[in-house]
Amino acid sequence: MSNFDWQVFCKDTIEGEVVERCFGSGGSITYLDWLMSAWGWTLSVALLALLVALVVGSMMGILRTLPSKTWVLVGDAWTELFRNIPLLVQIFLWYHVVPALIPALKSVPSFVLVVLGLGFFTSARIAEQVRAGIQSLPKGQRYAGLAMGMTLAQTYRYVILPNAFRVVIPPLTSESMNIIKNSSVAFAVSIAELTQFAMQAQEETSRGIEIYLAVTGLYFASAFLVNRIALFIENRVRIPGTSGASK
Amino acid sequence: DTLKKIKDSGSVTMGVRESSGALSYTLGDGKYTGYHVEICDKVLSDVRKQLGLSSLSVKYQPVTSQNRIPLVQNGTVDIECGSTTNNATRQKDVSFAVTTFVEEVRIAVKANSGITKIGDLNGRSVATTTGTTSVQTLRKNERATGVDFKEVFGKDHADSFLLLESGRADAFVMDGSLLAGLIAKSKNPADYKIVGEVLSVEPIAIMMRKDDPAFKTAVDNSIKAMIKSGEIAKLYDKWLMQPIPPANAKVGLPMSDNLKAALANPNDNPAEAYVKK
Amino acid sequence: MIDIKNISKWYGSFQVLTDCTTNIQKGEVVVVCGPSGSGKSTLIKTVNALEPFQKGDIVVDGVSIADPKTDLPKLRSRVGMVFQHFELFPHLSVTENLTLAQIKVLGRSADDAKTRGLKMLERVGLMAHKDKFPGQLSGGQQQRVAIARALSMDPIVMLFDEPTSALDPEMVGEVLDVMVQLANEGMTMMCVTHEMGFAKKVSNRVIFMDAGKIIEDCKKDEFFGNPDARSPRAKEFLSKILQH
Amino acid sequence: MIDIKNISKWYGSFQVLTDCTTNIQKGEVVVVCGPSGSGKSTLIKTVNALEPFQKGDIVVDGVSIADPKTDLPKLRSRVGMVFQHFELFPHLSVTENLTLAQIKVLGRSADDAKTRGLKMLERVGLMAHKDKFPGQLSGGQQQRVAIARALSMDPIVMLFDEPTSALDPEMVGEVLDVMVQLANEGMTMMCVTHEMGFAKKVSNRVIFMDAGKIIEDCKKDEFFGNPDARSPRAKEFLSKILQH
Amino acid sequence: MSFDFAFLTWDVISSFVLKGLWFSIQLTIVATLGGIALGTVLALMRLSGKKWLEVPAAAYVNTLRSIPLVMVILWFFLLIPMLTGRPMGAELSAVITFTVFEAAYFSEIMRAGIQSVSRGQVNAGYAMGMTYGQTMKLVVLPQAFRNMLPVLMTQTIILFQDTSLVYAIGAYDLLKGFEVAGKNFNRPVETYVVAAVVYFVICFSLSMLVRRLQKKIQIIR
Ligand SMILES: Nc1ncnc2c1ncn2[C@@H]1O[C@H](COP(=O)(O)OP(=O)(O)OP(=O)(O)O)[C@@H](O)[C@H]1O
Ligand SMILES: Nc1ncnc2c1ncn2[C@@H]1O[C@H](COP(=O)(O)OP(=O)(O)OP(=O)(O)O)[C@@H](O)[C@H]1O
Ligand SMILES: [Mg+2]
Ligand SMILES: [Mg+2]
């Protein structure tokens, strides 16, 4: 049972015959073609959702540190709402329930919904990191900015955020790796990404082990890639004279 | 081998599904039931008699379409009583009892949609469930007929049906019995109908470990006896024609000619053998 | 120049400042001292409205802080402040630290800001370090940069909140030297500090606080020269801090 | 009692201690001073083997630290140490802080440990606080508990690493008082401190370090009384720290 | 679309959902305790300063943190029996997988916790004559644990949500309970809505608890 049959990736997805050079031609596709396109979907969902999560999460995180009680409440409510419901359930609600209440959303493609759903879910976690990052800075920094006559907005823009950003890179790295892994829920709404590929292809080929190995490998590679990029950014923005976070 | 294992341990593990239409599903609380589950219960009691055991404890192990084959292979599950298609690829890994159900892949649509055959699906979206053979069927049909439609995948059958219900899909292509069951349980069964040609025919059978002829013979014999005695036909009527728990809805799917033929001449032919007919 | 009128402040139900009143003239150097937690930092922060207060008013150079119409950022830009922990911006070089607020707040051109900033850096004797980052400087050097940063905004008054208490003892001197020089040049200054040597040398007046109240507010000579006339709390404090 | 023989230590390629040699007799009080980063903390930590060193040896009460066969935990249990930041265990009450090591290291019974611990607490004047947690005490009180904790192990020598430099000025006195009393009772002490008042009052000898080297090691009277005989570096340091 | 919650009688809930809820809770508790224990060991290995302990621990943590939990669950479920030759039930398999997987995350938290205890505390322990083991056990770990309690709890909430991933191996958790009920009555939308509410109530209460804890800890410090 442990003799692997890697030929499976060279098979055509319709005839089930092994194709030469493993990539399909003329409209027919092999499992390898499919795997690659699935990887592409995984990366697209993950990266776009990450973008949404970073933008929304940073905004919410910042709100939670403002002096205004109202804004803090808005940020808190957002965070609690999106982090206390399992992702799979949230995706389902976005796809099936929300459009039932707001008919205009019916025509929105599922790709967009899943990017938003995954993005909002992750934004709650990022908001938490950003808030913690900002609050970990000495209070004196905020005072120093204000004391120089900067407005609160300027103080955030020029003093607090550049520092907080550096503080939160390591936790954000883990969130970015998480989002790649979490993107697997997209299969629930008909996105042909890696998990969906794994489920469908192993059903069709009965070569579960090989399929799962390949898919796990690609997830691993993607997460590793994100990790390297984050490390690169972390080193690029390291401030001279500080030891940096990676001690 | 399995018979010895059952005899030695006095217990057997039955693979069941949480939700495979009327064939195999749970009533909650760790109780499983359905057409195939009941057949298996009878088979196992025959096995118990054959082994001369006074009692046999049956453990239920829920399985999914992703893990059922590995679980049978690695010995977690001794006999899988869900809704597994018997096909040639799988026969390399596992073996099947004689066919007890024949599934016909059909198309469910909204009653008022005007769709009556696969050709009408041109330019529409068609739902089916990830991890099922229907996906392949659909793909083959698309290629063969030149009909161009958009596929949307639900993560399970209820999801796929929801796609049809909410209008995200115009049709749902799936095993006929599942479609009938879902429609029966829906809020408004009259809103849906099953239409068009049979897209593919698949024998569904009880699955066991490969290379264990003694066990397979015992199971096959028990089933054949039930076919002969008409018990299978009765069970079919009970599960697929009459109201069943928990919702007390009728699936209402009369026995197909294919199944009648299979029962008339019990065999474990794979799906490939049905295509040629 | 600074007129503090009956300021009271509460954190929840806890009263940090009780009815504090004092007044600082142009060119005066006032030292504020008192035990830890007595409200010194809070008082000095109310002067440039970094800490809001619930009662009373402060008028800085004719502008009332309690008035909701006052443009606080603008007011703060005219008041220099130096903190206990320096609070240089760690992600900016020394020069950028000096110019940021000049450009963003005062609207000076980058060139003007740099000229002005470096002049102040020269003054605190750190020209050689203009391209370094704060993390690469010693504590004493960072605090001198912080003073230069405040000075480069051309403040009308300088506030110091324990500017030497986070420093190694041998670096205290270099920072006090800069402060003494400033005082001698006639800068109006309000300093929270326990450096009684500094107070004796350059201050005009000493304010002693305890439990949120101003207990003593008198001329330097009176404060140090006539301990018997002081309140018991102040006497005890002075004896503790001058003992060793 | 403590014999430091030609100690050298490197962090990677950076040499922190260079060939340091000195000797502390029973009953002696030795003050170590010098600029920041000169290796004072490192030196004092080598004495109870908290910092390993690469060359030389230290013999404490006849036991060699460099000897790999030495039972270091046992040796350390006989050397009391007080840190700049107190390092009380924040999750334990004052009494638990005092008894933990007595019980776990010396194997004393809980009762004995408590009796001994509370006696020491009494001595530093904090009996009233025995059930509080460190976080509920002021800095000066915490440091006095830390001293009591070290004393309750019946050490043959006490090491102090800047015990007052993290304290508010008014609390420095209460800690120095305890240390003076200890010295007067004949405890052998090695203190890193910049409190020259303390050094003048009770020390027998002063060691001055710079850049990892022991530059001066002489009798107190010689150190303070004869500044002109001192090295330029020590003179400069003294002038800085005594100036204000 | 109209909602129809009528089928969700107490009978249905108790027979479909409660069993799942119970399993999710059990799994969460066991995996949290086991994960923290194993994670602490891993964290100590990574901080030991000994290469032969550091490298395997780091490899373990980084590998598991790079693979989706579903995949780990599947691998354990499918591969362990193949390796040991002995089948394993879905529930046991889930418990082992979650413990092993969460240990990687808990180890990162404990590592941060241990590092949050200042070097001075360790020195103080040594200086009192404690051995490495005593210092860790009596001084560092109690503090690390306290400092990290809120983060550990937050991870536990995530873990509770992640128990839904055992669907992949057919184990029966809270979400599965809702799903199965939804499928067998063909009312998926309604059950998901109820599931969302139930999860929210449970997780939100827990996270309120975390906040309380956080405030309490801040006072002690
Ligand atoms: N944000 C806050 N919330 C509640 N109480 C506070 C807050 N900030 C300060 N306090 C309390 O107000 C009192 C005065 O604090 P302040 O910092 O002004 O004292 P200080 O005299 O500067 O002391 P130190 O010498 O320690 O700097 C203290 O008792 C402090 O605990
Ligand atoms: N772990 C370490 N790795 C590398 N260098 C170190 C380490 N610890 C200390 N040093 C360096 O060793 C030198 C001596 O440090 P040490 O702490 O002994 O100085 P010190 O005289 O006690 O200074 P201070 O008065 O600031 O406490 C310093 O230059 C310091 O930067
Ligand atoms: Mg203060
Ligand atoms: Mg030191």
Side-chain angles (χ1 to χ4, degrees):
Chain A
M1 115 170 1
S2 52
N3 36 354
F4 295 116
D5 175 16
W6 294 105
Q7 288 276 317
V8 62
F9 289 104
C10 298
K11 286 183 180 162
D12 181 271
T13 53
I14 292 178
E15 310 302 335
E17 301 300 330
V18 173
V19 172
E20 249 182 87
R21 300 188 51 226
C22 285
F23 285 102
S25 54
S28 81
I29 60 167
T30 63
Y31 286 102
L32 189 61
D33 292 323
W34 187 1
L35 176 67
M36 286 300 131
S37 117
W39 192 23
W41 279 110
T42 288
L43 290 179
S44 323
V45 168
L47 295 182
L48 286 175
L50 182 60
L51 200 70
V52 172
L54 283 175
V55 172
V56 178
S58 307
M59 253 165 50
M60 292 298 158
I62 292 170
L63 288 190
R64 297 176 73 190
T65 64
L66 292 182
S68 145
K69 280 226 163 63
T70 325
W71 285 126
V72 172
L73 198 70
V74 170
D76 283 356
W78 178 274
T79 310
E80 295 297 344
L81 181 64
F82 284 98
R83 73 171 193 171
N84 284 322
I85 300 175
L87 177 56
L88 192 62
V89 178
Q90 287 193 34
I91 296 290
F92 189 93
L93 296 183
W94 278 109
Y95 195 51
H96 290 299
V97 179
V98 179
L101 304 173
I102 311 168
L105 279 176
K106 271 214 166 104
S107 53
V108 175
S110 62
F111 179 77
V112 174
L113 287 179
V114 85
V115 164
L116 290 182
L118 182 55
F120 288 168
F121 174 79
T122 312
S123 79
R125 290 160 192 237
I126 288 182
E128 191 67 8
Q129 317 280 16
V130 169
R131 179 191 62 83
I134 292 177
Q135 287 176 351
S136 77
L137 299 179
K139 225 177 158 203
Q141 288 282 313
R142 180 186 300 247
Y143 281 141
L146 293 175
M148 309 279 302
M150 289 194 234
T151 60
L152 191 64
Q154 283 177 319
T155 306
Y156 267 87
R157 162 73 182 78
Y158 297 110
V159 179
I160 297 177
L161 293 183
N163 280 308
F165 170 63
R166 289 171 168 89
V167 175
V168 298
I169 289 181
L172 287 193
T173 307
S174 346
E175 282 311 330
S176 314
M177 288 166 71
N178 279 340
I179 215 169
I180 297 234
K181 300 185 271 163
N182 285 339
S183 71
S184 66
V185 294
F187 93 91
V189 291
S190 185
I191 308 286
E193 49 68 71
L194 283 173
T195 300
Q196 202 227 22
F197 166 80
M199 296 194 166
Q200 186 58 38
Q202 77 98 29
E203 174 73 18
E204 293 178 12
T205 62
S206 299
R207 304 302 319 184
I209 304 281
E210 288 85 346
I211 302 271
Y212 282 138
L213 263 181
V215 166
T216 306
L218 286 182
Y219 272 121
F220 190 85
S222 318
F224 188 74
L225 197 74
V226 167
N227 184 288
R228 289 294 112 175
I229 293 174
L231 225 59
F232 173 76
I233 296 176
E234 195 179 333
N235 284 324
R236 270 301 287 273
V237 301
R238 174 158 302 155
I239 303 165
T242 59
S243 49
S246 64
K247 258 207 306 195
Chain B
D1 59 318
T2 312
L3 285 176
K4 182 165 183 309
K5 183 178 154 196
I6 295 175
K7 183 161 191 185
D8 291 349
S9 62
S11 76
V12 61
T13 307
M14 186 195 299
V16 288
R17 299 293 296 265
E18 303 284 0
S19 165
S20 256
L23 298 190
S24 182
Y25 64 95
T26 179
L27 293 172
D29 255 350
K31 289 198 284 286
Y32 294 86
T33 190
Y35 173 67
H36 263 159
V37 175
E38 195 165 347
I39 292 180
C40 275
D41 280 334
K42 298 233 152 75
V43 165
L44 288 175
S45 100
D46 286 347
V47 167
R48 178 179 65 80
K49 280 180 216 144
Q50 181 191 334
L51 292 174
L53 292 171
S54 59
S55 75
L56 177 62
S57 86
V58 178
K59 278 191 288 206
Y60 292 102
Q61 167 68 54
V63 299
T64 67
S65 43
Q66 284 86 42
N67 66 23
R68 57 191 166 187
I69 291 180
L71 287 180
V72 166
Q73 283 180 301
N74 73 21
T76 309
V77 164
D78 297 311
I79 179 164
E80 197 260 358
C81 314
S83 56
T84 305
T85 301
N86 176 352
N87 66 28
T89 340
R90 287 180 180 160
Q91 285 200 1
K92 284 187 216 147
D93 297 321
V94 291
S95 74
F96 291 89
V98 294
T99 298
T100 37
F101 192 80
V102 176
E103 199 61 270
E104 298 178 331
V105 173
R106 306 284 301 271
I107 305 168
V109 295
K110 286 245 174 85
N112 58 9
S113 66
I115 297 171
T116 56
K117 56 181 190 298
I118 190 151
D120 294 342
L121 291 176
N122 209 349
R124 311 277 197 127
S125 25
V126 179
T128 189
T129 306
T130 303
T132 63
T133 45
S134 302
V135 178
Q136 242 171 332
T137 306
L138 208 55
R139 205 188 296 138
K140 281 180 186 159
N141 265 288
E142 189 169 17
R143 166 72 76 86
T145 59
V147 177
D148 184 29
F149 45 76
K150 191 173 154 262
E151 295 164 12
V152 287
F153 299 107
K155 78 174 162 29
D156 50 48
H157 303 315
D159 236 25
S160 303
F161 189 80
L162 191 55
L163 293 172
L164 176 66
E165 184 183 354
S166 66
R168 278 184 192 272
D170 301 299
F172 177 15
V173 169
M174 186 44 59
D175 299 354
S177 73
L178 291 173
L179 291 180
L182 286 164
I183 291 173
K185 286 184 288 186
S186 68
K187 282 166 204 155
N188 253 326
D191 284 356
Y192 308 92
K193 63 180 181 193
I194 296 177
V195 298
E197 53 272 57
V198 172
L199 298 183
S200 84
V201 177
E202 295 182 352
I204 307 291
I206 290 162
M207 176 166 65
M208 293 157 294
R209 249 183 307 289
K210 202 171 154 60
D211 300 327
D212 187 357
F215 187 53
K216 175 167 162 55
T217 311
V219 174
D220 279 352
N221 285 343
S222 164
I223 295 175
K224 283 177 191 161
M226 278 190 267
I227 294 173
K228 223 183 204 157
S229 69
E231 187 154 9
I232 292 280
K234 257 189 263 159
L235 288 177
Y236 186 96
D237 184 65
K238 169 177 172 190
W239 290 103
L240 288 132
M241 300 304 290
Q242 304 301 324
I244 53 171
N248 281 325
K250 273 190 241 178
V251 177
L253 184 78
M255 202 180 275
S256 65
D257 294 342
N258 276 310
L259 179 55
K260 281 179 191 156
L263 294 182
N265 182 14
N267 65 77
D268 63 354
N269 291 341
E272 284 75 358
Y274 288 70
V275 178
K276 278 149 200 134
K277 280 186 207 163
Chain C
M1 167 88 41
I2 300 177
D3 209 355
I4 301 177
K5 302 187 218 167
N6 303 90
I7 291 294
S8 289
K9 175 180 170 70
W10 287 261
Y11 279 121
S13 64
F14 173 69
Q15 186 158 12
V16 216
L17 294 178
T18 310
D19 207 20
C20 296
T21 303
T22 190
N23 178 298
I24 295 168
Q25 299 300 319
K26 190 162 174 2
E28 226 183 354
V29 174
V30 174
V31 162
V32 181
C33 62
S36 175
S38 58
K40 310 178 296 291
S41 298
T42 310
L43 179 68
I44 204 168
K45 282 192 196 130
T46 57
V47 173
N48 62 351
L50 283 180
E51 290 278 4
F53 45 86
Q54 282 85 21
K55 264 172 67 179
D57 193 8
I58 301 182
V59 180
V60 178
D61 200 27
V63 182
S64 152
I65 286 182
D67 184 349
K69 287 197 294 290
T70 300
D71 179 352
L72 291 180
K74 184 162 170 216
L75 178 113
R76 291 189 192 119
S77 73
R78 304 180 61 206
V79 177
M81 181 149 193
V82 175
F83 299 85
Q84 181 175 8
H85 293 107
F86 332 139
E87 309 298 355
L88 293 179
F89 305 136
H91 60 297
L92 300 179
S93 72
V94 166
T95 308
E96 288 164 339
N97 262 284
L98 291 167
T99 55
L100 178 69
Q102 290 189 63
I103 298 170
K104 301 293 174 189
V105 176
L106 302 183
R108 289 184 182 153
S109 74
D111 280 348
D112 287 358
K114 191 161 175 187
T115 314
R116 174 80 193 153
L118 292 185
K119 201 169 133 201
M120 291 302 128
L121 195 60
E122 176 89 75
R123 181 164 170 180
V124 299
L126 291 172
M127 202 56 176
H129 301 282
K130 69 178 173 19
D131 294 322
K132 288 199 178 155
F133 282 78
Q136 299 169 312
L137 301 179
S138 77
Q141 290 168 335
Q142 288 190 49
Q143 193 62 297
R144 281 145 70 198
V145 172
I147 295 175
R149 179 175 72 173
L151 290 176
S152 66
M153 300 288 287
D154 302 315
I156 54 171
V157 53
M158 289 282 286
L159 309 178
F160 292 83
D161 188 5
E162 305 203 33
T164 58
S165 66
L167 294 176
D168 286 321
E170 31 156 3
M171 290 169 181
V172 170
E174 62 194 49
V175 171
L176 287 181
D177 284 347
V178 171
M179 290 171 62
V180 168
Q181 190 192 337
L182 264 183
N184 291 341
E185 287 170 13
M187 174 62 81
T188 313
M189 291 161 67
M190 181 170 177
C191 311
V192 175
T193 182
H194 291 121
E195 294 292 335
M196 288 302 136
F198 172 80
K200 280 184 190 157
K201 196 184 283 174
V202 298
S203 78
N204 302 99
R205 249 169 52 226
V206 177
I207 291 176
F208 176 79
M209 293 186 70
D210 187 32
K213 294 201 189 74
I214 294 184
I215 294 194
E216 303 277 350
D217 183 352
C218 56
K219 288 259 171 308
K220 165 181 73 177
D221 298 336
E222 177 73 10
F223 191 78
F224 292 109
N226 192 0
D228 294 334
R230 303 280 68 78
S231 69
R233 193 64 192 85
K235 229 154 67 184
E236 185 199 336
F237 178 80
L238 274 177
S239 79
K240 271 190 178 169
I241 144 169
L242 297 173
Q243 177 186 16
H244 288 279
Chain D
M1 169 87 39
I2 299 176
D3 208 356
I4 301 177
K5 301 186 218 170
N6 303 92
I7 291 294
S8 290
K9 175 181 169 72
W10 287 261
Y11 279 120
S13 64
F14 173 67
Q15 184 158 14
V16 218
L17 294 179
T18 309
D19 206 21
C20 295
T21 303
T22 191
N23 178 298
I24 295 170
Q25 299 300 320
K26 190 163 173 5
E28 227 182 354
V29 175
V30 174
V31 162
V32 182
C33 63
S36 176
S38 57
K40 308 177 298 290
S41 298
T42 310
L43 180 69
I44 203 168
K45 280 188 198 138
T46 57
V47 172
N48 63 351
L50 282 180
E51 291 278 3
F53 45 86
Q54 282 85 24
K55 264 172 66 182
D57 193 8
I58 301 182
V59 180
V60 178
D61 198 29
V63 182
S64 152
I65 288 183
D67 184 349
K69 287 196 295 291
T70 300
D71 179 355
L72 290 179
K74 185 163 169 218
L75 179 115
R76 289 188 194 120
S77 72
R78 306 180 61 208
V79 177
M81 182 147 191
V82 175
F83 299 85
Q84 180 174 11
H85 294 106
F86 333 139
E87 307 299 354
L88 293 179
F89 304 135
H91 59 299
L92 302 179
S93 73
V94 166
T95 308
E96 288 165 337
N97 263 283
L98 291 168
T99 55
L100 179 70
Q102 290 188 64
I103 297 171
K104 300 290 178 187
V105 176
L106 301 184
R108 289 184 182 156
S109 74
D111 281 348
D112 287 358
K114 192 163 173 185
T115 314
R116 175 79 195 154
L118 291 186
K119 201 169 132 199
M120 291 302 126
L121 195 60
E122 175 89 75
R123 181 163 171 182
V124 299
L126 291 172
M127 202 57 175
H129 300 283
K130 69 179 173 23
D131 295 321
K132 289 198 178 156
F133 281 80
Q136 297 169 312
L137 302 178
S138 77
Q141 291 169 333
Q142 287 191 52
Q143 194 60 299
R144 281 146 67 199
V145 172
I147 294 175
R149 180 174 71 172
L151 290 177
S152 65
M153 301 287 288
D154 302 315
I156 54 172
V157 53
M158 289 281 289
L159 309 178
F160 292 84
D161 188 4
E162 305 203 31
T164 58
S165 67
L167 295 175
D168 285 322
E170 29 156 6
M171 289 168 182
V172 170
E174 61 194 50
V175 171
L176 288 180
D177 285 345
V178 171
M179 290 172 63
V180 168
Q181 191 191 335
L182 263 184
N184 291 340
E185 287 170 12
M187 174 63 82
T188 314
M189 290 163 67
M190 181 168 176
C191 312
V192 175
T193 183
H194 291 119
E195 292 294 334
M196 289 301 134
F198 172 79
K200 280 185 190 155
K201 196 183 285 176
V202 297
S203 78
N204 303 98
R205 247 167 57 224
V206 177
I207 291 175
F208 176 78
M209 293 185 69
D210 187 33
K213 294 201 189 76
I214 294 185
I215 294 192
E216 302 276 349
D217 182 354
C218 55
K219 289 259 169 310
K220 167 183 71 178
D221 298 337
E222 176 72 11
F223 191 79
F224 291 111
N226 192 2
D228 292 336
R230 304 277 69 77
S231 69
R233 193 64 192 85
K235 227 152 69 181
E236 185 198 335
F237 177 78
L238 274 176
S239 79
K240 271 188 178 170
I241 149 167
L242 297 173
Q243 176 186 17
H244 289 281
Chain E
M1 193 189 301
S2 60
F3 295 126
D4 167 19
F5 291 98
F7 75 99
L8 266 179
T9 56
W10 171 246
D11 234 27
V12 169
I13 288 180
S14 72
S15 60
F16 284 91
V17 178
L18 288 189
K19 175 186 160 206
L21 175 63
W22 178 227
F23 177 68
S24 287
I25 291 175
Q26 272 179 311
L27 180 57
T28 304
I29 292 174
V30 175
T32 301
L33 297 181
I36 290 177
L38 182 55
T40 305
V41 173
L42 286 167
L44 288 175
M45 283 169 74
R46 287 194 78 175
L47 295 171
S48 67
K50 299 195 177 70
K51 270 265 165 334
W52 60 278
L53 286 173
E54 267 175 48
V55 172
Y60 178 100
V61 171
N62 290 334
T63 307
L64 281 178
R65 277 163 43 97
S66 306
I67 307 177
L69 178 53
V70 200
M71 289 291 154
V72 181
I73 292 174
L74 280 172
W75 280 121
F76 268 73
F77 192 52
L78 300 181
L79 288 185
I80 289 184
M82 289 191 189
L83 296 178
T84 62
R86 211 174 321 142
M88 190 171 25
E91 273 71 23
L92 180 60
S93 171
V95 168
I96 294 177
T97 310
F98 269 80
T99 307
V100 163
F101 183 83
E102 293 295 332
Y105 285 82
F106 282 124
S107 102
E108 287 296 275
I109 297 173
M110 285 310 290
R111 186 159 71 114
I114 293 169
Q115 283 174 329
S116 77
V117 179
S118 67
R119 182 78 210 153
Q121 287 282 313
V122 180
N123 277 338
Y126 285 154
M128 309 282 298
M130 293 183 204
T131 59
Y132 172 81
Q134 285 177 321
T135 309
M136 278 297 153
K137 188 175 132 216
L138 300 171
V139 177
V140 177
L141 289 180
Q143 292 185 53
F145 200 74
R146 252 163 249 242
N147 293 351
M148 288 294 131
L149 205 52
V151 192
L152 289 171
M153 291 279 292
T154 305
Q155 180 64 28
T156 302
I157 296 174
I158 296 176
L159 171 54
F160 179 71
Q161 292 181 19
D162 280 351
T163 56
S164 58
L165 295 176
V166 298
Y167 75 83
I169 53 173
Y172 199 103
D173 73 299
L174 177 57
L175 185 57
K176 179 74 166 258
F178 277 113
E179 271 182 329
V180 170
K183 279 179 207 165
N184 285 339
F185 290 89
N186 201 13
R187 296 285 182 280
V189 173
E190 289 82 352
T191 45
Y192 271 108
V193 170
V194 177
V197 172
V198 168
Y199 269 102
F200 183 81
V201 168
I202 294 177
C203 296
F204 185 68
S205 324
L206 278 175
S207 69
M208 284 291 126
L209 198 76
V210 173
R211 277 207 201 168
R212 282 256 189 89
L213 267 174
Q214 218 156 1
K215 288 226 173 81
K216 224 179 191 163
I217 285 169
Q218 268 167 0
I219 292 167
I220 294 173
R221 257 195 283 181

